[in-house]
Amino acid sequence: AQSVTQLDSQVPVFEEAPVELRCNYSSSVSVYLFWYVQYPNQGLQLLLKYLSGSTLVESINGFEAEFNKSQTSFHLRKPSVHISDTAEYFCAVSEVNNAGNMLTFGGGTRLMVKP
Amino acid sequence: DTAVSQTPKYLVTQMGNDKSIKCEQNLGHDTMYWYKQDSKKFLKIMFSYNNKELIINETVPNRFSPKSPDKAHLNLHINSLELGDSAVYFCASSLGNQPQHFGDGTRLSIL
């Protein structure tokens, strides 16, 4: 079975500052990795994913995450945040070749961007 | 619009009642899911259906019964509702190992 740990439950940051949201996972098999974002009273939206290939993946709104197999991490970063980035961010994994494609989520990190 | 749609968005009911939540996807996906998000925002898989067949059934009370009439629908029926069932329930769908698409959630409140 796999597990996901998001070390920070809340991350306050000023607008235009850089941010890193940490994610570590544990699994006995290869995994796919995802970051989802949840805005207040909304569903989850996929932010970015790592399935294979380059370990650095980027989203269209300036976020990036790097898969580090040796450290079993998939930290999310953005060099300059905006007020509109305020949301809950979830890291998730699913096992490669898992028939059910089940996602295991971390506990979430609330990013609070202040003016 | 192409999407995963859930109804109702809000559901307020009394303890002991039976209720259903509907989910439909028009993305042509072959797998559908139900997740529960508790008051601390923790998300946990409940069920997974692939081509109308149950694949995953996590430790969920048997008061919860999913029904998949076809690949595009996965409904969730809950019997004898309890206070602890209060949560946001999310439906999702995917194709193969591609990322899951989520609905907007159904906020269930038990009085």
mmCIF file of all heavy atoms in Angstrom, chain A residues 58-98:
data_model
loop_
_atom_site.group_PDB
_atom_site.id
_atom_site.type_symbol
_atom_site.label_atom_id
_atom_site.label_comp_id
_atom_site.label_asym_id
_atom_site.label_seq_id
_atom_site.Cartn_x
_atom_site.Cartn_y
_atom_site.Cartn_z
ATOM 1 N N GLU A 58 5.729 20.818 -15.597
ATOM 2 C CA GLU A 58 5.281 22.196 -15.418
ATOM 3 C C GLU A 58 3.796 22.328 -15.746
ATOM 4 O O GLU A 58 3.264 21.589 -16.575
ATOM 5 C CB GLU A 58 6.085 23.127 -16.337
ATOM 6 C CG GLU A 58 7.568 23.140 -16.038
ATOM 7 C CD GLU A 58 8.361 23.982 -17.041
ATOM 8 O OE1 GLU A 58 7.763 24.418 -18.039
ATOM 9 O OE2 GLU A 58 9.555 24.193 -16.807
ATOM 10 N N SER A 59 3.152 23.301 -15.090
ATOM 11 C CA SER A 59 1.763 23.600 -15.415
ATOM 12 C C SER A 59 1.697 24.892 -16.216
ATOM 13 O O SER A 59 2.693 25.625 -16.325
ATOM 14 C CB SER A 59 0.939 23.744 -14.124
ATOM 15 O OG SER A 59 1.279 24.961 -13.474
ATOM 16 N N ILE A 60 0.526 25.200 -16.746
ATOM 17 C CA ILE A 60 0.394 26.389 -17.590
ATOM 18 C C ILE A 60 0.369 27.674 -16.772
ATOM 19 O O ILE A 60 0.565 28.748 -17.310
ATOM 20 C CB ILE A 60 -0.885 26.316 -18.448
ATOM 21 C CG1 ILE A 60 -2.130 26.160 -17.553
ATOM 22 C CG2 ILE A 60 -0.797 25.188 -19.454
ATOM 23 C CD1 ILE A 60 -3.429 26.240 -18.316
ATOM 24 N N ASN A 61 0.162 27.575 -15.466
ATOM 25 C CA ASN A 61 0.090 28.798 -14.661
ATOM 26 C C ASN A 61 1.316 28.985 -13.774
ATOM 27 O O ASN A 61 1.239 29.614 -12.725
ATOM 28 C CB ASN A 61 -1.192 28.813 -13.819
ATOM 29 C CG ASN A 61 -1.320 27.590 -12.935
ATOM 30 O OD1 ASN A 61 -0.482 26.687 -12.990
ATOM 31 N ND2 ASN A 61 -2.354 27.559 -12.123
ATOM 32 N N GLY A 62 2.459 28.454 -14.189
ATOM 33 C CA GLY A 62 3.725 28.774 -13.544
ATOM 34 C C GLY A 62 4.181 27.828 -12.447
ATOM 35 O O GLY A 62 5.275 28.003 -11.908
ATOM 36 N N PHE A 63 3.374 26.845 -12.080
ATOM 37 C CA PHE A 63 3.811 25.861 -11.090
ATOM 38 C C PHE A 63 4.694 24.805 -11.754
ATOM 39 O O PHE A 63 4.533 24.519 -12.940
ATOM 40 C CB PHE A 63 2.604 25.174 -10.445
ATOM 41 C CG PHE A 63 1.902 26.003 -9.414
ATOM 42 C CD1 PHE A 63 0.796 26.770 -9.751
ATOM 43 C CD2 PHE A 63 2.335 26.000 -8.094
ATOM 44 C CE1 PHE A 63 0.141 27.535 -8.795
ATOM 45 C CE2 PHE A 63 1.691 26.764 -7.138
ATOM 46 C CZ PHE A 63 0.587 27.533 -7.482
ATOM 47 N N GLU A 64 5.589 24.231 -10.976
ATOM 48 C CA GLU A 64 6.374 23.104 -11.437
ATOM 49 C C GLU A 64 6.602 22.146 -10.283
ATOM 50 O O GLU A 64 6.506 22.525 -9.105
ATOM 51 C CB GLU A 64 7.716 23.547 -12.023
ATOM 52 C CG GLU A 64 8.651 24.173 -11.008
ATOM 53 C CD GLU A 64 10.005 24.538 -11.604
ATOM 54 O OE1 GLU A 64 10.084 24.859 -12.809
ATOM 55 O OE2 GLU A 64 10.991 24.512 -10.844
ATOM 56 N N ALA A 65 6.852 20.895 -10.617
ATOM 57 C CA ALA A 65 7.147 19.893 -9.595
ATOM 58 C C ALA A 65 8.217 18.963 -10.143
ATOM 59 O O ALA A 65 8.280 18.720 -11.349
ATOM 60 C CB ALA A 65 5.898 19.102 -9.220
ATOM 61 N N GLU A 66 9.057 18.483 -9.252
ATOM 62 C CA GLU A 66 10.134 17.589 -9.665
ATOM 63 C C GLU A 66 10.037 16.267 -8.936
ATOM 64 O O GLU A 66 9.980 16.217 -7.700
ATOM 65 C CB GLU A 66 11.496 18.221 -9.401
ATOM 66 C CG GLU A 66 12.651 17.377 -9.934
ATOM 67 C CD GLU A 66 13.895 18.193 -10.182
ATOM 68 O OE1 GLU A 66 14.022 19.281 -9.592
ATOM 69 O OE2 GLU A 66 14.742 17.730 -10.964
ATOM 70 N N PHE A 67 10.011 15.205 -9.702
ATOM 71 C CA PHE A 67 9.980 13.853 -9.149
ATOM 72 C C PHE A 67 11.394 13.459 -8.768
ATOM 73 O O PHE A 67 12.299 13.458 -9.609
ATOM 74 C CB PHE A 67 9.413 12.886 -10.186
ATOM 75 C CG PHE A 67 9.554 11.425 -9.832
ATOM 76 C CD1 PHE A 67 9.195 10.962 -8.585
ATOM 77 C CD2 PHE A 67 10.042 10.513 -10.763
ATOM 78 C CE1 PHE A 67 9.312 9.616 -8.260
ATOM 79 C CE2 PHE A 67 10.161 9.169 -10.452
ATOM 80 C CZ PHE A 67 9.807 8.723 -9.198
ATOM 81 N N ASN A 68 11.596 13.150 -7.498
ATOM 82 C CA ASN A 68 12.906 12.710 -7.023
ATOM 83 C C ASN A 68 12.728 11.306 -6.456
ATOM 84 O O ASN A 68 12.248 11.123 -5.340
ATOM 85 C CB ASN A 68 13.433 13.670 -5.948
ATOM 86 C CG ASN A 68 14.860 13.360 -5.561
ATOM 87 O OD1 ASN A 68 15.244 12.196 -5.413
ATOM 88 N ND2 ASN A 68 15.671 14.391 -5.403
ATOM 89 N N LYS A 69 13.138 10.317 -7.244
ATOM 90 C CA LYS A 69 12.889 8.932 -6.853
ATOM 91 C C LYS A 69 13.686 8.535 -5.612
ATOM 92 O O LYS A 69 13.173 7.830 -4.736
ATOM 93 C CB LYS A 69 13.238 7.990 -8.018
ATOM 94 C CG LYS A 69 12.805 6.557 -7.797
ATOM 95 C CD LYS A 69 13.036 5.720 -9.049
ATOM 96 C CE LYS A 69 12.560 4.294 -8.823
ATOM 97 N NZ LYS A 69 12.754 3.457 -10.029
ATOM 98 N N SER A 70 14.919 9.002 -5.520
ATOM 99 C CA SER A 70 15.760 8.606 -4.387
ATOM 100 C C SER A 70 15.232 9.178 -3.065
ATOM 101 O O SER A 70 15.364 8.542 -2.014
ATOM 102 C CB SER A 70 17.207 9.054 -4.611
ATOM 103 O OG SER A 70 17.271 10.465 -4.693
ATOM 104 N N GLN A 71 14.632 10.355 -3.140
ATOM 105 C CA GLN A 71 14.071 10.965 -1.930
ATOM 106 C C GLN A 71 12.564 10.748 -1.826
ATOM 107 O O GLN A 71 11.943 11.262 -0.896
ATOM 108 C CB GLN A 71 14.379 12.467 -1.906
ATOM 109 C CG GLN A 71 15.865 12.765 -1.819
ATOM 110 C CD GLN A 71 16.171 14.242 -1.674
ATOM 111 O OE1 GLN A 71 15.278 15.058 -1.514
ATOM 112 N NE2 GLN A 71 17.448 14.585 -1.720
ATOM 113 N N THR A 72 12.019 10.011 -2.749
ATOM 114 C CA THR A 72 10.564 9.746 -2.827
ATOM 115 C C THR A 72 9.772 11.023 -2.572
ATOM 116 O O THR A 72 8.896 11.088 -1.684
ATOM 117 C CB THR A 72 10.131 8.635 -1.847
ATOM 118 O OG1 THR A 72 10.446 9.010 -0.496
ATOM 119 C CG2 THR A 72 10.797 7.324 -2.184
ATOM 120 N N SER A 73 10.100 12.051 -3.355
ATOM 121 C CA SER A 73 9.444 13.339 -3.172
ATOM 122 C C SER A 73 8.907 13.857 -4.501
ATOM 123 O O SER A 73 9.358 13.459 -5.584
ATOM 124 C CB SER A 73 10.412 14.354 -2.562
ATOM 125 O OG SER A 73 11.440 14.676 -3.489
ATOM 126 N N PHE A 74 7.946 14.758 -4.397
ATOM 127 C CA PHE A 74 7.343 15.407 -5.576
ATOM 128 C C PHE A 74 6.901 16.793 -5.124
ATOM 129 O O PHE A 74 5.732 17.121 -5.096
ATOM 130 C CB PHE A 74 6.173 14.563 -6.091
ATOM 131 C CG PHE A 74 5.646 14.971 -7.435
ATOM 132 C CD1 PHE A 74 6.480 15.074 -8.547
ATOM 133 C CD2 PHE A 74 4.286 15.208 -7.618
ATOM 134 C CE1 PHE A 74 5.994 15.420 -9.795
ATOM 135 C CE2 PHE A 74 3.779 15.552 -8.858
ATOM 136 C CZ PHE A 74 4.632 15.656 -9.947
ATOM 137 N N HIS A 75 7.871 17.631 -4.771
ATOM 138 C CA HIS A 75 7.573 18.962 -4.234
ATOM 139 C C HIS A 75 7.067 19.900 -5.327
ATOM 140 O O HIS A 75 7.550 19.865 -6.467
ATOM 141 C CB HIS A 75 8.814 19.567 -3.588
ATOM 142 C CG HIS A 75 9.363 18.744 -2.454
ATOM 143 N ND1 HIS A 75 8.582 17.911 -1.674
ATOM 144 C CD2 HIS A 75 10.643 18.627 -1.976
ATOM 145 C CE1 HIS A 75 9.340 17.316 -0.760
ATOM 146 N NE2 HIS A 75 10.597 17.723 -0.928
ATOM 147 N N LEU A 76 6.145 20.753 -4.951
ATOM 148 C CA LEU A 76 5.545 21.723 -5.873
ATOM 149 C C LEU A 76 6.148 23.098 -5.605
ATOM 150 O O LEU A 76 6.250 23.513 -4.447
ATOM 151 C CB LEU A 76 4.025 21.763 -5.650
ATOM 152 C CG LEU A 76 3.211 22.713 -6.522
ATOM 153 C CD1 LEU A 76 3.169 22.202 -7.968
ATOM 154 C CD2 LEU A 76 1.783 22.842 -5.982
ATOM 155 N N ARG A 77 6.498 23.796 -6.684
ATOM 156 C CA ARG A 77 7.137 25.103 -6.514
ATOM 157 C C ARG A 77 6.541 26.118 -7.471
ATOM 158 O O ARG A 77 6.047 25.763 -8.554
ATOM 159 C CB ARG A 77 8.646 24.999 -6.784
ATOM 160 C CG ARG A 77 9.416 24.206 -5.752
ATOM 161 C CD ARG A 77 10.899 24.311 -6.040
ATOM 162 N NE ARG A 77 11.272 23.535 -7.221
ATOM 163 C CZ ARG A 77 11.764 22.306 -7.184
ATOM 164 N NH1 ARG A 77 11.922 21.698 -6.017
ATOM 165 N NH2 ARG A 77 12.106 21.676 -8.285
ATOM 166 N N LYS A 78 6.608 27.361 -7.041
ATOM 167 C CA LYS A 78 6.269 28.469 -7.939
ATOM 168 C C LYS A 78 7.164 29.644 -7.570
ATOM 169 O O LYS A 78 7.272 29.989 -6.393
ATOM 170 C CB LYS A 78 4.795 28.860 -7.818
ATOM 171 C CG LYS A 78 4.360 29.868 -8.886
ATOM 172 C CD LYS A 78 2.856 30.058 -8.928
ATOM 173 C CE LYS A 78 2.484 30.999 -10.082
ATOM 174 N NZ LYS A 78 1.023 31.213 -10.206
ATOM 175 N N PRO A 79 7.834 30.258 -8.551
ATOM 176 C CA PRO A 79 8.796 31.317 -8.247
ATOM 177 C C PRO A 79 8.158 32.613 -7.758
ATOM 178 O O PRO A 79 8.792 33.384 -7.042
ATOM 179 C CB PRO A 79 9.534 31.537 -9.579
ATOM 180 C CG PRO A 79 8.632 30.978 -10.615
ATOM 181 C CD PRO A 79 7.824 29.911 -9.983
ATOM 182 N N SER A 80 6.891 32.860 -8.131
ATOM 183 C CA SER A 80 6.241 34.119 -7.749
ATOM 184 C C SER A 80 4.725 33.875 -7.683
ATOM 185 O O SER A 80 4.096 33.655 -8.711
ATOM 186 C CB SER A 80 6.570 35.208 -8.774
ATOM 187 O OG SER A 80 5.884 36.400 -8.473
ATOM 188 N N VAL A 81 4.174 33.912 -6.484
ATOM 189 C CA VAL A 81 2.758 33.561 -6.341
ATOM 190 C C VAL A 81 1.867 34.792 -6.460
ATOM 191 O O VAL A 81 2.300 35.933 -6.230
ATOM 192 C CB VAL A 81 2.472 32.855 -5.000
ATOM 193 C CG1 VAL A 81 3.162 31.502 -4.966
ATOM 194 C CG2 VAL A 81 2.867 33.724 -3.811
ATOM 195 N N HIS A 82 0.593 34.535 -6.811
ATOM 196 C CA HIS A 82 -0.420 35.579 -6.905
ATOM 197 C C HIS A 82 -1.510 35.323 -5.875
ATOM 198 O O HIS A 82 -1.673 34.195 -5.406
ATOM 199 C CB HIS A 82 -1.029 35.586 -8.312
ATOM 200 C CG HIS A 82 -0.018 35.790 -9.392
ATOM 201 N ND1 HIS A 82 0.621 36.970 -9.618
ATOM 202 C CD2 HIS A 82 0.464 34.914 -10.309
ATOM 203 C CE1 HIS A 82 1.448 36.819 -10.624
ATOM 204 N NE2 HIS A 82 1.394 35.590 -11.072
ATOM 205 N N ILE A 83 -2.265 36.362 -5.591
ATOM 206 C CA ILE A 83 -3.392 36.222 -4.664
ATOM 207 C C ILE A 83 -4.306 35.089 -5.113
ATOM 208 O O ILE A 83 -4.823 34.316 -4.305
ATOM 209 C CB ILE A 83 -4.195 37.533 -4.568
ATOM 210 C CG1 ILE A 83 -3.359 38.645 -3.946
ATOM 211 C CG2 ILE A 83 -5.480 37.309 -3.770
ATOM 212 C CD1 ILE A 83 -3.185 38.544 -2.462
ATOM 213 N N SER A 84 -4.492 34.961 -6.408
ATOM 214 C CA SER A 84 -5.408 33.973 -6.963
ATOM 215 C C SER A 84 -4.924 32.537 -6.773
ATOM 216 O O SER A 84 -5.673 31.594 -7.030
ATOM 217 C CB SER A 84 -5.632 34.226 -8.456
ATOM 218 O OG SER A 84 -4.394 34.165 -9.151
ATOM 219 N N ASP A 85 -3.688 32.356 -6.327
ATOM 220 C CA ASP A 85 -3.171 31.005 -6.054
ATOM 221 C C ASP A 85 -3.627 30.485 -4.695
ATOM 222 O O ASP A 85 -3.368 29.320 -4.358
ATOM 223 C CB ASP A 85 -1.643 30.987 -6.112
ATOM 224 C CG ASP A 85 -1.104 31.237 -7.514
ATOM 225 O OD1 ASP A 85 -1.753 30.774 -8.483
ATOM 226 O OD2 ASP A 85 -0.049 31.889 -7.645
ATOM 227 N N THR A 86 -4.256 31.319 -3.910
ATOM 228 C CA THR A 86 -4.775 30.897 -2.609
ATOM 229 C C THR A 86 -5.768 29.762 -2.799
ATOM 230 O O THR A 86 -6.786 29.923 -3.486
ATOM 231 C CB THR A 86 -5.449 32.070 -1.883
ATOM 232 O OG1 THR A 86 -4.460 33.057 -1.580
ATOM 233 C CG2 THR A 86 -6.121 31.606 -0.591
ATOM 234 N N ALA A 87 -5.454 28.609 -2.218
ATOM 235 C CA ALA A 87 -6.273 27.403 -2.403
ATOM 236 C C ALA A 87 -5.686 26.281 -1.558
ATOM 237 O O ALA A 87 -4.654 26.446 -0.904
ATOM 238 C CB ALA A 87 -6.300 26.981 -3.879
ATOM 239 N N GLU A 88 -6.339 25.128 -1.619
ATOM 240 C CA GLU A 88 -5.836 23.910 -0.976
ATOM 241 C C GLU A 88 -5.165 23.080 -2.070
ATOM 242 O O GLU A 88 -5.726 22.892 -3.156
ATOM 243 C CB GLU A 88 -7.003 23.133 -0.364
ATOM 244 C CG GLU A 88 -6.617 22.037 0.587
ATOM 245 C CD GLU A 88 -6.448 22.503 2.025
ATOM 246 O OE1 GLU A 88 -7.053 23.537 2.402
ATOM 247 O OE2 GLU A 88 -5.729 21.841 2.778
ATOM 248 N N TYR A 89 -3.984 22.586 -1.774
ATOM 249 C CA TYR A 89 -3.230 21.801 -2.752
ATOM 250 C C TYR A 89 -3.039 20.384 -2.226
ATOM 251 O O TYR A 89 -2.614 20.187 -1.092
ATOM 252 C CB TYR A 89 -1.871 22.456 -3.034
ATOM 253 C CG TYR A 89 -2.009 23.761 -3.787
ATOM 254 C CD1 TYR A 89 -2.350 24.939 -3.116
ATOM 255 C CD2 TYR A 89 -1.831 23.815 -5.171
ATOM 256 C CE1 TYR A 89 -2.517 26.132 -3.802
ATOM 257 C CE2 TYR A 89 -1.993 25.005 -5.864
ATOM 258 C CZ TYR A 89 -2.333 26.152 -5.170
ATOM 259 O OH TYR A 89 -2.506 27.340 -5.853
ATOM 260 N N PHE A 90 -3.358 19.417 -3.087
ATOM 261 C CA PHE A 90 -3.274 18.013 -2.702
ATOM 262 C C PHE A 90 -2.280 17.286 -3.597
ATOM 263 O O PHE A 90 -2.374 17.346 -4.825
ATOM 264 C CB PHE A 90 -4.628 17.323 -2.825
ATOM 265 C CG PHE A 90 -5.651 17.797 -1.840
ATOM 266 C CD1 PHE A 90 -6.530 18.805 -2.173
ATOM 267 C CD2 PHE A 90 -5.721 17.238 -0.573
ATOM 268 C CE1 PHE A 90 -7.478 19.259 -1.262
ATOM 269 C CE2 PHE A 90 -6.657 17.676 0.345
ATOM 270 C CZ PHE A 90 -7.537 18.690 0.001
ATOM 271 N N CYS A 91 -1.372 16.566 -2.970
ATOM 272 C CA CYS A 91 -0.477 15.662 -3.670
ATOM 273 C C CYS A 91 -1.112 14.280 -3.650
ATOM 274 O O CYS A 91 -1.743 13.889 -2.648
ATOM 275 C CB CYS A 91 0.876 15.650 -2.954
ATOM 276 S SG CYS A 91 2.120 14.605 -3.706
ATOM 277 N N ALA A 92 -0.989 13.539 -4.744
ATOM 278 C CA ALA A 92 -1.611 12.214 -4.807
ATOM 279 C C ALA A 92 -0.742 11.263 -5.613
ATOM 280 O O ALA A 92 0.008 11.688 -6.498
ATOM 281 C CB ALA A 92 -3.007 12.302 -5.438
ATOM 282 N N VAL A 93 -0.857 9.976 -5.314
ATOM 283 C CA VAL A 93 -0.129 8.947 -6.061
ATOM 284 C C VAL A 93 -1.079 7.831 -6.449
ATOM 285 O O VAL A 93 -2.085 7.587 -5.788
ATOM 286 C CB VAL A 93 1.045 8.353 -5.244
ATOM 287 C CG1 VAL A 93 2.011 9.425 -4.814
ATOM 288 C CG2 VAL A 93 0.539 7.565 -4.054
ATOM 289 N N SER A 94 -0.757 7.157 -7.529
ATOM 290 C CA SER A 94 -1.416 5.900 -7.858
ATOM 291 C C SER A 94 -0.352 4.938 -8.340
ATOM 292 O O SER A 94 0.650 5.346 -8.926
ATOM 293 C CB SER A 94 -2.504 6.075 -8.915
ATOM 294 O OG SER A 94 -1.947 6.433 -10.164
ATOM 295 N N GLU A 95 -0.564 3.666 -8.065
ATOM 296 C CA GLU A 95 0.423 2.665 -8.434
ATOM 297 C C GLU A 95 0.352 2.369 -9.922
ATOM 298 O O GLU A 95 -0.744 2.230 -10.478
ATOM 299 C CB GLU A 95 0.197 1.378 -7.644
ATOM 300 C CG GLU A 95 0.471 1.520 -6.158
ATOM 301 C CD GLU A 95 0.273 0.222 -5.411
ATOM 302 O OE1 GLU A 95 -0.280 -0.731 -5.996
ATOM 303 O OE2 GLU A 95 0.669 0.153 -4.237
ATOM 304 N N VAL A 96 1.513 2.257 -10.548
ATOM 305 C CA VAL A 96 1.587 1.862 -11.955
ATOM 306 C C VAL A 96 1.020 0.456 -12.086
ATOM 307 O O VAL A 96 1.281 -0.413 -11.258
ATOM 308 C CB VAL A 96 3.044 1.902 -12.447
ATOM 309 C CG1 VAL A 96 3.154 1.359 -13.865
ATOM 310 C CG2 VAL A 96 3.585 3.312 -12.364
ATOM 311 N N ASN A 97 0.196 0.246 -13.094
ATOM 312 C CA ASN A 97 -0.416 -1.056 -13.373
ATOM 313 C C ASN A 97 -1.427 -1.483 -12.311
ATOM 314 O O ASN A 97 -1.772 -2.646 -12.200
ATOM 315 C CB ASN A 97 0.638 -2.170 -13.508
ATOM 316 C CG ASN A 97 1.572 -1.913 -14.664
ATOM 317 O OD1 ASN A 97 1.157 -1.413 -15.708
ATOM 318 N ND2 ASN A 97 2.835 -2.227 -14.479
ATOM 319 N N ASN A 98 -1.896 -0.534 -11.546
ATOM 320 C CA ASN A 98 -2.955 -0.829 -10.589
ATOM 321 C C ASN A 98 -4.283 -0.854 -11.328
ATOM 322 O O ASN A 98 -4.677 0.120 -11.934
ATOM 323 C CB ASN A 98 -2.958 0.243 -9.495
ATOM 324 C CG ASN A 98 -4.092 0.038 -8.502
ATOM 325 O OD1 ASN A 98 -5.246 0.306 -8.793
ATOM 326 N ND2 ASN A 98 -3.750 -0.461 -7.343
#
